[in-house]
Amino acid sequence: MAKKEQLTFLCGKCGFESRKWLGQCPDCKKWDSMTEQVKTNARTARRAPGKISTLQKASTKELQRLVTSISELDRVLGGGIVPGSLVLIGGDPGIGKSTLILQLLSALAGNNNKVLYVTGEESEQQIKMRAERLSIEDEQIFLATENCVESIIAMATELKPALLAVDSIQTMYSEEVGSAPGSVTQVRESTSRLLTHAKTSNLPVILIGHVTKDGSIAGPRVLEHMVDTVLYFEGDRGHIFRILRTVKNRFGSTNEIGVFEMKENGLSEVDNPSALFLAERPQNVPGSVVLPSVEGTRPILVEVQALVTSSSLGTGRRTAIGADPQRVALLTAVLEKKIGVTLFDQDIFLNIAGGIRIDEPALDLGVIVALLSSLHERIVDPGVVVCGEVGLAGEIRAVGQMEMRLGEAQRLGFHTFLMPESSAMQLESLPSTNMKIIGIKTVQDVVTHLFVAR
Ligand code: TYD
Ligand code: MG
């Protein structure tokens, strides 16, 4: 086949490709990030047409999932690993990705499957030490230290494992690409080779990828569209909780989370995350309230904390951890306008306890209540949970899955639920609940219902 060499320029940050050099990447707007790449393009030959089926006849038989029996992991994967699928597990360095993968491999090997673990960053001894710490000694876990994808594919072809894990994709290179390992081109090319192999041999592949805070190194973000499933392993290194979150899943729902605890001897599953997240909640202090949040198909109670203090500077700072700072700024503005409190000269700190991140709008009411509680130094009854979206006019809007939230709050012994009025009306028809439900319409109602008596 005739080969044609072609010069292209590639952005080192986002992978944008251009035929000519540009000072600024038109896609991610980074300056001076385009570098020259030589791309060898095989001229497309005329091919015989591929096989065509009909939708009706297409089979789903191959979707026999590989169940890991780590239920938190199976949950985020949508019920196990699909054969021939490419799963990317991303996360900050040191968060526990290699630990998770080793435990996953051990779970699969325990079911009498051969599994192959290829590492490009650690030595055999390091892996062995980790395995000893985790008390993993399965015979069926095969180990290789290798950086070349072509060689990895050859190994997998020979061994025929039930699963291949590659740790990490940033350390891999393909012989057919000229640039250095870790560059966008190499990461993308290596993934594409593993993808082709996964699809043709029906071998599921798990890739580990480091995410860097500034995203400057070729991160897994450029790979998200190539792989079938993207999971992010999150958590604060100072906390023991680790959350595995589905960001993309071609074979299941997104927004699922799996909760783990990082212990001395590895990650252990958390079956009752609400109890864990509320374990250290201070009782009877202002600025704290509990929110029944729903992550995917599961309710989790979390504590929303706020600290409002007068600023030593003229204008207050706003800091939010575990919540969207923009959203907090918006809610602050709503409070100023609708309740008439003065916040511009106050420093506002908002935190979701335990290092979990909440993205759903139901958090709004929790933020409002925590802020007011701290500002007025009024304690919210520790048996109260709140949830609801807050609009710009100060109206409290309905959020979904209220029954699930109610059930979880009741299970953990809460007695009162402050919620949007429309949701309260729907829940009234519910046969058995011994929780007191208070429906509210506006942010002013929060003040009347929660902070009446001093
Ligand atoms: P690791 O899996 O190496 O992280 P990654 O692959 O994401 O870089 O785990 C790193 C941290 O986890 C390390 O700081 C030590 C801690 N750890 C435990 O607390 N308990 C354990 O059993 C193991 C294996 C690691
Ligand atoms: Mg690692």
Side-chain angles (χ1 to χ4, degrees):
M1 223 186 287
K3 286 199 170 179
K4 195 173 120 200
E5 280 211 339
Q6 183 190 326
L7 212 56
T8 58
F9 295 87
L10 210 69
C11 169
K13 188 180 175 202
C14 69
F16 180 83
E17 214 174 308
S18 159
R19 291 296 294 275
K20 58 178 200 285
W21 188 84
L22 299 163
Q24 186 190 25
C25 169
D27 201 21
C28 68
K29 307 283 181 254
K30 184 157 170 73
W31 287 96
D32 199 22
S33 64
M34 308 288 285
T35 49
E36 192 181 302
Q37 309 282 333
V38 179
K39 196 173 170 186
T40 337
N41 262 359
R43 200 182 294 159
T44 36
R46 257 183 195 282
R47 289 210 184 148
K51 185 174 151 259
I52 302 177
S53 177
T54 62
L55 184 58
Q56 205 178 26
K57 283 188 194 142
S59 96
T60 52
K61 214 170 66 206
E62 282 166 16
L63 285 179
Q64 210 24 279
R65 291 172 190 253
L66 202 58
V67 177
T68 68
S69 65
I70 300 176
S71 62
E72 295 295 300
L73 194 58
D74 285 332
R75 179 207 310 277
V76 291
L77 287 165
I81 304 167
V82 174
S85 70
L86 213 60
V87 179
L88 174 70
I89 301 183
D92 294 339
I95 205 74
K97 299 179 296 299
S98 303
T99 309
L100 178 72
I101 229 56
L102 206 55
Q103 289 185 253
L104 159 74
L105 292 175
S106 165
L108 288 176
N111 290 342
N112 219 4
N113 291 306
K114 259 192 284 182
V115 289
L116 176 58
Y117 181 47
V118 182
T119 174
E121 15 189 82
E122 290 172 303
S123 66
E124 233 169 75
Q125 289 83 350
Q126 281 171 302
I127 307 286
K128 181 69 187 167
M129 273 161 60
R130 183 180 290 120
E132 276 171 1
R133 190 170 174 184
L134 302 171
S135 316
I136 290 175
E137 46 192 353
D138 302 86
E139 274 176 25
Q140 299 287 60
I141 302 180
F142 292 79
L143 183 64
T145 42
E146 181 58 67
N147 299 83
C148 169
V149 269
E150 279 81 13
S151 163
I152 295 171
I153 290 171
M155 281 178 206
T157 313
E158 201 181 292
L159 186 71
K160 296 198 175 46
L163 180 86
L164 166 68
V166 178
D167 187 1
S168 68
I169 190 65
Q170 273 101 349
T171 57
M172 299 301 153
Y173 72 92
S174 163
E175 279 171 346
E176 295 181 30
V177 185
S179 55
S183 67
V184 179
T185 329
Q186 276 295 8
V187 169
R188 221 162 41 174
E189 205 51 41
S190 305
T191 307
S192 138
R193 261 152 236 248
L194 289 166
L195 179 73
T196 315
H197 182 71
K199 300 290 166 202
T200 50
S201 64
N202 230 10
L203 166 74
V205 179
I206 295 194
L207 303 178
I208 291 183
H210 296 296
V211 189
T212 46
K213 287 259 152 57
D214 62 349
S216 60
I217 299 177
R221 298 208 177 258
V222 292
L223 305 177
E224 281 180 7
H225 67 279
M226 295 173 78
V227 301
D228 300 300
T229 304
V230 180
L231 308 177
Y232 272 90
F233 206 33
E234 313 171 335
D236 196 48
R237 273 216 258 167
H239 288 103
I240 52 167
F241 317 119
R242 296 286 180 273
I243 312 270
L244 192 62
R245 194 183 287 273
T246 321
V247 179
K248 164 182 175 177
N249 197 353
R250 287 191 181 138
F251 308 109
S253 81
T254 46
N255 301 323
E256 264 321 332
I257 68 164
V259 185
F260 296 88
E261 248 181 297
M262 179 60 99
K263 293 190 175 159
E264 262 314 291
N265 53 355
L267 291 158
S268 71
E269 300 178 64
V270 175
D271 313 320
N272 191 354
S274 298
L276 192 76
F277 284 117
L278 297 183
E280 288 163 61
R281 183 164 68 110
Q283 303 263 327
N284 299 319
V285 291
S288 157
V289 70
V290 173
L291 166 90
S293 176
V294 173
E295 291 286 340
T297 54
R298 169 154 74 161
I300 294 183
L301 300 189
V302 293
E303 184 198 350
V304 184
Q305 298 181 325
L307 189 65
V308 181
T309 55
S310 54
S311 173
S312 49
L313 306 165
T315 32
R317 275 181 298 166
R318 272 99 182 89
T319 309
I321 302 167
D324 177 10
Q326 303 262 35
R327 195 81 202 159
V328 176
L330 182 149
L331 294 168
T332 314
V334 170
L335 279 184
E336 288 204 305
K337 189 82 180 170
K338 297 294 160 188
I339 302 197
V341 291
T342 313
L343 291 168
F344 75 90
D345 55 354
Q346 303 282 321
D347 283 338
I348 293 178
F349 303 95
L350 192 101
N351 180 36
I352 311 292
I356 188 171
R357 199 186 76 227
I358 305 289
D359 282 328
E360 61 161 350
L363 171 66
D364 292 357
L365 193 57
V367 173
I368 294 270
V369 171
L371 287 176
L372 286 174
S373 166
S374 177
L375 179 72
H376 296 314
E377 293 277 323
R378 301 268 191 99
I379 295 160
V380 181
D381 182 333
V384 171
V385 292
V386 306
C387 99
E389 184 179 349
V390 176
L392 285 183
E395 80 280 17
I396 312 292
R397 311 171 76 109
V399 290
Q401 286 131 323
M402 290 306 283
E403 277 190 58
M404 210 189 268
R405 299 176 202 265
L406 181 81
E408 182 74 353
Q410 193 168 328
R411 195 173 69 77
L412 278 121
F414 288 84
H415 55 68
T416 305
F417 197 157
L418 193 71
M419 63 170 76
E421 191 172 56
S422 51
S423 307
M425 272 163 16
Q426 278 172 15
L427 285 184
E428 258 170 21
S429 55
L430 220 64
S432 65
T433 168
N434 37 32
M435 272 189 100
K436 184 177 169 202
I437 293 174
I438 305 174
I440 54 167
K441 269 179 142 161
T442 64
V443 285
Q444 287 91 337
D445 295 346
V446 174
V447 184
T448 33
H449 285 288
L450 279 187
F451 304 114
V452 267
R454 201 160 179 149

